[in-house]
Amino acid sequence: MPVSGQSLDWSYDYSLAESSMAIGISESAIDQITVEGNTFPVGGAIGVFYQNQDNEYVCSGSIIWDYQSNVIPVWGGGSGGLSDGQEFSLFAFVNGVTYTAEIDSDDTNLYTYNPYAFISVSELNFTYFSVSEDVVGCMDPSACNYDFYATIAANETCSYPVLDYLNCDGSCESDYDEDGVCDINEIYGCTEIDAYNYSPIATENYGCLYPGCMDENALNFDPNANNPDNSCEYPVFELDWSYDNTDQDATIAISTLTGLETNDFTEVVVGAFYANSFLSDSIYTGLSCASSYDGAPSFASMTVYADEVYTTEKDGFELQEELIYIVLYNGQEYFATASYMESFNAGWGLLELVSENIYIPYSLYIIEELTVQGPVGFGCTDPLYVEYDESANIDNGTCFTLVVEGCMDVAAANFNSEANTEDDSCQYPGCTDSNYLEYWTYNPIESSISEPAIIANLDDGSCLTLIVEGCTDASAFNYDLDANINDNSCIAVVEGCTDETMFNFDPAANTDYDGALCIPFVYGCMDYSAYNYYPFANTDDGSCYYQPGCTSEGALNYNADADYDDGFIAYINGYEIARSTNIDSSNVLNTFGFSIGEEHEAKIYQNGLPEGFLINEEIIESIVYNGENCLAIQVINYSNGMDDMTANFWLSFSHNQQTSGLHDWFYVPMKIDSSSLPIFVINTNNQVIPNDEKITVELGIIKPGTSLFDAFSSFIKAIKTCSHLTAVIKTTCQPPVRIRIHSLLTIH
């Protein structure tokens, strides 16, 4: 009995064996082969082991279980291998676990080696033996490198045949004729280069055609031909108007001639003809005349002669031989047919017709009407033969090949190599339903179909893929994942807001994207000069109303004091009130990137006085109104890269037009980084604020007792307004916060 926990080596070399036995598991016993009472799984292994002189278990044969009739080989008789009568054990290997077979005391022969014996197993149960050491490998049974000893899957290492119909070594799974071409790749056709239907792509020789004359009696008989092509050549067929008088004769009387320009028998010659000379049993060279002609204007008679039986030469009609009538008129030979009278009263008695169109010696033939059918045409007149000529009216003995109808296309499934006449019966297996992709020739690159070279007419069950027309371009707006045929309906993606209820709805857009957010309508007064101006509005609702400005004659004048580096423009309520002298007058509000005439240094930090600017009284009265007014100052540096910029501004009031000096109450503004009230800080992260574009900025809130940006951080959209200098910022705070920007800084 094996020792539990022992590890097993499943490799073996059967080439060293001198004999073998087999343990067979019949299909009926498959359900009785179990592991711990459960059905033995497909892909597991069953092996035969014996103990060597070192008491080590050695494998002497194994199989991979496939749930079919299985035979386990047992190799022995070699050096160090199983010997006659030696006991062995059966083990199973399933999912990294080794199991051993339970021993049945009534079936001890099962576990004893007997050379060349076959032992049938009806029942077998495996129980736990040991857990094998972890083995990393391919655990896909369909892979070429499948390792049933593996316990840890590394299926990324699995390798497979290059093609489905190949074995792992590259050989064909199926090659019936062992020619190195897989059966699935065999192309049937003629491989003989001299054949009429030679195919350079054919791999399997089939149906080679050698057209030619197959009539041994023809002048150009081709013994190598296997396909008649109507090319047989025969001796020239001629009419011989000379004749020999013989002892036996018959009389032919002709009453009427029709079918020509004349019915005068004196202008024509009528002859009765027979086959004159045979090359074989079926070929003769012409017709000979057997008549003595006497023609009157309205009546003709002639004597026709029989073959002289006592000579070898055929010089007349044979008994019951067909009568053939030829009319000679103006040098042209015509074929004619006869209509016979059943009886004729000759005055001396009633004469009755013996037969029609066959020769009977000593008979009288009364032709009521001889009808000319047309010029003489020689050929095969029997439509049952390949050589049939519908224009022929006199058979020249060239009917040799009986018509064999059938399919003559070597590409068809029912090609008939013996056929010589196409009957449109060819069968082409394939998909016969044009609603399926397999019916057509498919172009996977363009997702298009075209008419196949050979249209199938015999459905073989290959119609699998129903045609679905649609847009097959994955980058298109209306891409149809299910479509397999492009119907040219693809629509390009146009990104934008597609919500009709939104302010920025784009009727041309068909796709929403993150960079184009839908903005709702916000209604209100959009005139900054109005008393009820609503900075959040994007749609004017006509609600604006206005308060009159300051018109009092006693109104105060304004003085503006400014300390700056290097230039500035000041505005009240969006109207310019002052600017530094180094800025050209053409530069206006919200114009960025312009240059200034010269540098200007701030005064206060050098113990100087700020500059004063008198604001005209009339200007003040026109732009200032009761309520909140906004002072905005745009500060400009002299050039890009300059690291100093100063902006200190204030207003003073007086009743005169003199510029004031530094005010006693002036102090340098302190930097605020904490507050008992919420402070909004806008950080553009060194982004230039464009004139006509939107940028993303960071919004931070400083709460009492906290550091900058610790309490709140979010991304917002800065809304640019052209008519005023008010920025509106929406936050999660309630109510919404409204701030006014009192200084615009342009950094060059």
Side-chain angles (χ1 to χ4, degrees):
M1 179 70 183
V3 179
S4 180
Q6 190 173 348
S7 180
L8 300 179
D9 182 4
W10 285 74
S11 61
Y12 63 91
D13 188 357
Y14 68 86
S15 64
L16 302 176
E18 298 176 354
S19 59
S20 65
M21 66 175 285
I23 299 175
I25 302 173
S26 65
E27 189 172 357
S28 60
I30 289 178
D31 291 336
Q32 303 303 316
I33 310 301
T34 59
V35 178
E36 301 286 5
N38 300 311
T39 302
F40 199 96
V42 173
I46 299 178
V48 176
F49 288 80
Y50 67 93
Q51 288 182 293
N52 60 14
Q53 58 187 4
D54 298 326
N55 291 324
E56 297 172 334
Y57 279 97
V58 181
C59 185
S60 62
S62 66
I63 61 166
I64 302 298
W65 186 257
D66 59 4
Y67 210 69
Q68 296 179 1
S69 180
N70 293 268
V71 177
I72 308 173
V74 184
W75 306 98
S79 176
L82 273 169
S83 58
D84 294 0
Q86 184 176 359
E87 293 184 354
F88 57 81
S89 302
L90 294 179
F91 289 92
F93 185 84
V94 179
N95 296 328
V97 179
T98 302
Y99 300 85
T100 184
E102 296 179 342
I103 299 177
D104 188 350
S105 60
D106 297 331
D107 199 12
T108 55
N109 291 331
L110 174 62
Y111 304 96
T112 303
Y113 179 69
N114 184 8
Y116 310 111
F118 182 88
I119 301 175
S120 180
V121 176
S122 60
E123 185 177 357
L124 197 63
N125 184 51
F126 292 91
T127 58
Y128 175 80
F129 181 68
S130 69
V131 177
S132 301
E133 297 180 358
D134 287 337
V135 177
V136 179
C138 174
M139 298 182 68
D140 184 357
S142 64
C144 296
N145 60 334
Y146 168 63
D147 186 359
F148 69 86
Y149 305 111
T151 60
I152 300 176
N155 287 352
E156 67 276 6
T157 65
C158 296
S159 59
Y160 303 89
V162 178
L163 298 170
D164 293 339
Y165 53 82
L166 297 179
N167 297 315
C168 291
D169 60 358
S171 62
C172 299
E173 282 189 348
S174 177
D175 184 9
Y176 180 78
D177 56 3
E178 298 181 351
D179 61 350
V181 180
C182 301
D183 291 343
I184 195 173
N185 292 330
E186 292 280 17
I187 301 175
Y188 288 85
C190 180
T191 61
E192 300 173 15
I193 194 169
D194 295 331
Y196 168 74
N197 59 332
Y198 166 70
S199 173
I201 64 172
T203 61
E204 196 71 19
N205 193 26
Y206 180 78
C208 289
L209 299 178
Y210 293 92
C213 178
M214 298 177 62
D215 188 354
E216 296 180 355
N217 300 310
L219 298 176
N220 61 333
F221 167 67
D222 184 357
N224 297 318
N226 62 4
N227 184 244
D229 60 355
N230 296 330
S231 65
C232 293
E233 298 176 0
Y234 303 94
V236 177
F237 196 85
E238 297 178 335
L239 294 176
D240 183 7
W241 286 86
S242 63
Y243 59 90
D244 296 327
N245 296 333
T246 62
D247 294 337
Q248 301 181 55
D249 58 35
T251 301
I252 299 176
I254 306 172
S255 175
T256 306
L257 177 66
T258 60
L260 291 176
E261 297 175 350
T262 181
N263 56 9
D264 189 344
F265 283 98
T266 61
E267 296 180 2
V268 301
V269 178
V270 181
F273 285 78
Y274 62 89
N276 58 8
S277 178
F278 286 86
L279 295 177
S280 67
D281 292 340
S282 60
I283 297 179
Y284 53 97
T285 61
L287 299 178
S288 291
C289 186
S291 62
S292 177
Y293 178 74
D294 181 16
S298 60
F299 185 84
S301 66
M302 56 185 168
T303 302
V304 292
Y305 299 96
D307 180 35
E308 180 59 64
V309 298
Y310 301 105
T311 64
T312 58
E313 180 184 5
K314 190 172 188 295
D315 51 9
F317 285 100
E318 294 180 337
L319 179 63
Q320 295 188 346
E321 183 178 353
E322 182 181 2
L323 298 171
I324 299 174
Y325 295 98
I326 307 295
V327 177
L328 179 63
Y329 174 65
N330 286 340
Q332 177 69 54
E333 296 167 333
Y334 296 90
F335 173 73
T337 57
S339 298
Y340 296 92
M341 298 180 64
E342 294 293 330
S343 61
F344 177 73
N345 194 336
W348 62 85
L350 182 66
L351 302 176
E352 295 183 355
L353 182 66
V354 177
S355 62
E356 296 182 359
N357 272 36
I358 59 171
Y359 181 76
I360 306 293
Y362 310 115
S363 299
L364 174 63
Y365 296 84
I366 309 298
I367 299 177
E368 183 178 12
E369 182 178 5
L370 186 67
T371 303
V372 174
Q373 300 295 333
V376 169
F378 301 115
C380 176
T381 60
D382 192 341
L384 297 179
Y385 287 81
V386 174
E387 297 83 6
Y388 170 67
D389 183 358
E390 63 180 3
S391 66
N393 46 40
I394 297 179
D395 197 298
N396 63 355
T398 56
C399 295
F400 304 108
T401 311
L402 278 170
V403 170
V404 180
E405 295 184 340
C407 175
M408 298 179 65
D409 188 354
V410 295
N414 61 330
F415 166 69
N416 185 359
S417 60
E418 297 181 356
N420 52 39
T421 303
E422 180 63 58
D423 63 353
D424 297 326
S425 67
C426 291
Q427 297 178 345
Y428 303 97
C431 176
T432 60
D433 192 339
S434 60
N435 293 313
Y436 286 82
L437 204 62
E438 290 78 11
Y439 174 85
W440 307 90
T441 297
Y442 180 62
N443 185 335
I445 298 177
E446 298 180 357
S447 300
S448 61
I449 55 178
S450 57
E451 194 77 17
I454 299 177
I455 298 178
N457 58 13
L458 181 64
D459 199 296
D460 61 356
S462 61
C463 293
L464 302 174
T465 310
L466 194 65
I467 289 178
V468 180
E469 295 185 346
C471 176
T472 59
D473 186 355
S475 65
F477 166 70
N478 59 330
Y479 169 63
D480 187 353
L481 183 62
D482 297 326
N484 48 39
I485 298 297
N486 195 339
D487 62 356
N488 298 317
S489 65
C490 293
I491 302 172
V493 171
V494 180
E495 296 179 325
C497 179
T498 62
D499 190 345
E500 296 182 357
T501 65
M502 293 291 138
F503 170 72
N504 62 332
F505 164 68
D506 185 356
N510 53 36
T511 303
D512 287 302
Y513 68 104
D514 293 339
L517 302 176
C518 289
I519 302 173
F521 284 95
V522 180
Y523 297 93
C525 175
M526 297 182 65
D527 187 350
Y528 185 83
S529 64
Y531 183 78
N532 63 329
Y533 165 71
Y534 185 41
F536 299 102
N538 56 31
T539 305
D540 197 296
D541 61 357
S543 64
C544 294
Y545 65 93
Y546 303 87
Q547 295 289 336
C550 180
T551 60
S552 172
E553 295 181 355
L556 295 177
N557 293 330
Y558 288 74
N559 285 338
D561 296 297
D563 194 23
Y564 59 93
D565 181 353
D566 288 295
F568 79 95
I569 304 176
Y571 309 85
I572 291 181
N573 296 336
Y575 296 93
E576 181 179 333
I577 58 172
R579 70 170 60 197
S580 60
T581 58
N582 59 354
I583 298 179
D584 187 88
S585 61
S586 62
N587 295 294
V588 297
L589 174 66
N590 291 343
T591 301
F592 301 95
F594 60 84
S595 62
I596 60 180
E598 60 184 10
E599 292 186 61
H600 182 277
E601 293 293 328
K603 306 296 185 181
I604 295 178
Y605 79 96
Q606 301 178 20
N607 297 317
L609 295 176
E611 298 178 17
F613 296 86
L614 179 64
I615 306 172
N616 185 273
E617 179 180 355
E618 286 78 14
I619 296 177
I620 296 297
E621 290 178 351
S622 64
I623 61 177
V624 175
Y625 50 83
N626 294 331
E628 187 180 37
N629 293 266
C630 179
L631 170 67
I633 303 172
Q634 181 180 5
V635 182
I636 305 98
N637 222 346
Y638 178 66
S639 63
N640 292 332
M642 296 188 69
D643 58 359
D644 62 329
M645 186 169 68
T646 300
N648 292 317
F649 302 90
W650 59 94
L651 290 175
S652 62
F653 308 89
S654 66
H655 293 280
N656 55 56
Q657 297 184 359
Q658 297 179 358
T659 302
S660 64
L662 183 65
H663 298 275
D664 295 337
W665 46 264
F666 175 80
Y667 61 93
V668 178
M670 65 178 180
K671 180 179 179 181
I672 301 175
D673 57 9
S674 64
S675 174
S676 61
L677 298 174
I679 298 177
F680 286 84
V681 178
I682 299 176
N683 181 8
T684 64
N685 290 320
N686 297 319
Q687 299 176 87
V688 176
I689 302 177
N691 191 35
D692 295 318
E693 302 291 338
K694 299 176 181 177
I695 64 167
T696 299
V697 300
E698 293 179 354
L699 172 65
I701 298 179
I702 302 174
K703 290 185 177 180
T706 63
S707 300
L708 186 64
F709 298 110
D710 284 351
F712 177 82
S713 181
S714 175
F715 290 100
I716 64 168
K717 292 285 183 180
I719 304 174
K720 174 184 174 295
T721 60
C722 298
S723 61
H724 58 87
L725 300 175
T726 300
V728 178
I729 303 173
K730 290 185 176 181
T731 73
T732 57
C733 300
Q734 298 293 331
V737 179
R738 184 189 208 186
I739 63 173
R740 291 191 177 271
I741 302 174
H742 296 280
S743 180
L744 295 180
L745 307 181
T746 302
I747 303 174
H748 290 271

